[in-house]
Amino acid sequence: MSFDPSLEQSDPEMSALIRGETQRQFDKLRMIPSENYASRAVQEAMGSPLNNKYSEGYPRKRYYEGQQFVDPIEEMAQERIKSLFGVEHANVQPYSGSPANLAVLFAFCKPGDPIMGLGLPAGGHLTHGWSVSITGAYFNARAYGVRRDDHRIDMDEVAKIAEEHKPKVIFCGGTAYPRTWDFAAFSAIAKNVGAILVADIAHISGLVAGGAHPSPVGHADVISSTTHKTLRGPRGGMIMTRKELAPAIDKAVFPGLQGGPHVSQMAALAVAAKEANTESFKEYAARVVGNAKALATALTDRGYALVSGGTDNHLLLIDLTNKNVTGKRAAKALDLAGIELNYNSVPFDPRKPFDPSGVRLGTPAITSRGLRPEHMGKVAEWFDEAVKNEGNEAKLAAVASDVKAFLRDYPAPGIAL
Ligand code: DSN
């Protein structure tokens, strides 16, 4: 063995697991709406000796020496994110979306302060004040929901709760809301009650960057996000804001919540932001939405009940009650059939979250492989075959083999086999 063996030489067991996962990502229709394929360039930036460096502080104000290359790396990530989204300030240090949201709360609230967010069962995120999260345990959170008839956020209800609860922070954004966010309406409500409006665009940041979803810039006081979903960057988080709120955000991230930033993650984010600031990324973002809409139509034609009746963005939420299968059983059957998604609660779900009525799926990853709206009829057909044949392992394996054969012609970014 050489002084510095490869992973394959040093740890063949782990190497085999990583190879297996890489092949799995190539062979399947990956339709978890929060997942994607990061490019080879993004992955190269993540897997480098940047991993070895500690850099507490911010560029030009560090607590450790040896920042000759790290400072320009972080500055490059900040500048590229600012230019991509058109914001005054970007903090690129949050380890992911959950710490980003906790940092925002730490910046503007004291423990016990009132906050508001979309409830988890209606498609919100845990970190917007749901009871089992630290954000629900340490703050006095109230949730708004969606209407029973059309599954859209009822802005009158948001305004009413805001007036009663007087939140310091209002979150908008979610993980299973298939419709456009009305950032201007949220901003008016937040201003009326003196709240900080936080737009968590984790799911849609690539769509916002690519112009396929309205931007919260100019409406939200703070914008939080992950960087690995539709944006196709590294696993990570970021917070964008105006100049006057920047010191509070920066102080809350470091030293408030985190120690040394992950330098590889910041470098990879800079690479992803460069990739996203292109015409081809704009086309990608538009195609993500076009594919989701085409898939929604194809599934509706096959009798599937889409929450809210369709989608405006990258994701679909399906209530499977009329198909006599639970979300969990369907998700497991679909996985065996080569279609990877997740079971998910639907609004007003009578079932428990661990075995809910719905499934959630989306088009960011399959669009990264070059699938187009004309392919969505086929995807819906495979989806339907899998759901109808839940429990029939031979049939599900046959679908998986068709899916795998089809995908051979569609290269996956960042995957070399
Ligand atoms: N896990 C993410 C999602 O799937 O939406 C949210 O944090």
Side-chain angles (χ1 to χ4, degrees), residues 47-69:
S48 75
L50 294 178
N51 175 71
N52 304 336
K53 189 71 195 116
Y54 257 124
S55 307
E56 268 95 336
Y58 289 99
R60 321 286 156 189
K61 284 170 279 174
R62 304 281 187 192
Y63 292 84
Y64 291 68
E65 296 313 312
Q67 310 296 343
Q68 291 83 354
F69 296 94

Side-chain angles (χ1 to χ4, degrees), residues 32-35 96-98 125-127 174-176 202-203 226 228-229 235 315 342 344 360:
I32 293 175
S34 44
E35 293 185 355
S96 199
S98 298
H125 193 251
L126 282 167
T127 57
T175 61
H203 264 256
T226 50
H228 49 273
K229 297 186 171 102
R235 292 300 282 243
L315 75 83
N342 65 281
N344 213 99
R360 184 187 71 150

Side-chain angles (χ1 to χ4, degrees), residues 10 21 33 60 161 171 235 296 369 383 385:
S10 116
E21 170 62 13
R60 321 286 156 189
I161 297 177
F171 282 100
R235 292 300 282 243
R369 293 191 71 166
F383 181 98
E385 269 183 66

Side-chain angles (χ1 to χ4, degrees), residues 129-284:
W130 197 242
S131 53
V132 296
S133 152
I134 186 170
T135 60
Y138 284 25
F139 301 95
N140 171 17
R142 269 194 64 187
Y144 54 88
V146 293
R147 288 190 289 253
R148 204 175 262 278
D149 55 353
D150 64 358
H151 304 138
R152 314 271 175 139
I153 290 167
D154 180 349
M155 295 310 296
D156 293 336
E157 188 205 14
V158 177
K160 185 167 167 280
I161 297 177
E163 270 164 35
E164 285 166 15
H165 195 52
K166 300 272 181 293
K168 287 265 179 65
V169 162
I170 299 177
F171 282 100
C172 58
T175 61
Y177 187 62
R179 295 298 177 178
T180 302
W181 288 88
D182 187 347
F183 296 122
F186 271 97
S187 170
I189 292 169
K191 280 201 173 71
N192 191 37
V193 299
I196 295 276
L197 178 65
V198 183
D200 178 344
I201 60 167
H203 264 256
I204 56 171
S205 54
L207 305 185
V208 171
H213 187 289
S215 171
V217 177
H219 302 298
D221 300 293
V222 177
I223 302 167
S224 66
S225 187
T226 50
T227 54
H228 49 273
K229 297 186 171 102
T230 46
L231 192 58
R232 267 195 332 209
R235 292 300 282 243
M238 61 183 175
I239 304 173
M240 298 174 274
T241 190
R242 296 191 300 274
K243 271 211 172 88
E244 80 244 37
L245 300 182
I249 290 291
D250 286 352
K251 206 169 133 210
V253 174
F254 174 85
L257 190 63
Q258 299 186 172
H262 296 172
V263 183
S264 348
Q265 177 193 323
M266 297 192 293
L269 176 58
V271 175
K274 184 178 179 193
E275 290 175 353
N277 214 342
T278 56
E279 276 311 306
S280 73
F281 193 85
K282 280 198 179 75
E283 285 161 23
Y284 164 72

